[in-house]
Amino acid sequence: MNLVDELFAVCRALREAGVEYAVCGGVAVALHGWVRATVDIDVLVRADAIALALAAVAPIGFTFVAKPGSSCTGEGHDVRRVTKIDGAEHLSPAACFAS
């Protein structure tokens, strides 16, 4: 699995579904020119778009959705971890944060 290809696939799926999103985390830092090793893709979406975002990435293989939880500080954050498993490889890129 190639992280860049997966990033483009996730962004394309969200865009085609009409989901407003922002790439954040390590990938966003790298896109701005800072070297940062990362193995996931973090995506920020609005709370009312989580279901649509999850449905948009399911057809491209992101089907394992962990229970809602919070690794963010403060109130009003909802974190969903979505994982893509392809044989022995797995990628957990679509961490959809909503506030």
Side-chain angles (χ1 to χ4, degrees):
M1 240 178 281
N2 179 301
L3 188 66
V4 173
D5 292 342
E6 296 298 333
L7 170 65
F8 290 146
V10 167
C11 291
R12 184 173 36 258
L14 294 175
R15 195 172 46 253
E16 289 174 358
V19 176
E20 293 179 350
Y21 68 94
V23 176
C24 54
V27 169
V29 170
L31 290 172
H32 285 280
W34 295 92
V35 178
R36 170 139 185 234
T38 187
V39 294
D40 67 352
I41 301 166
D42 297 315
V43 179
L44 176 69
V45 300
R46 294 166 39 133
D48 60 0
I50 289 178
L52 185 56
L54 295 174
V57 298
I60 58 172
F62 296 97
T63 56
F64 177 79
V65 181
K67 292 181 181 179
S70 179
S71 61
C72 299
T73 56
E75 295 181 26
H77 294 88
D78 184 8
V79 179
R80 309 288 175 104
R81 175 73 57 191
V82 183
T83 303
K84 179 175 185 174
I85 300 172
D86 185 11
E89 293 186 79
H90 71 278
L91 183 65
S92 113
C96 301
F97 300 78
S99 58

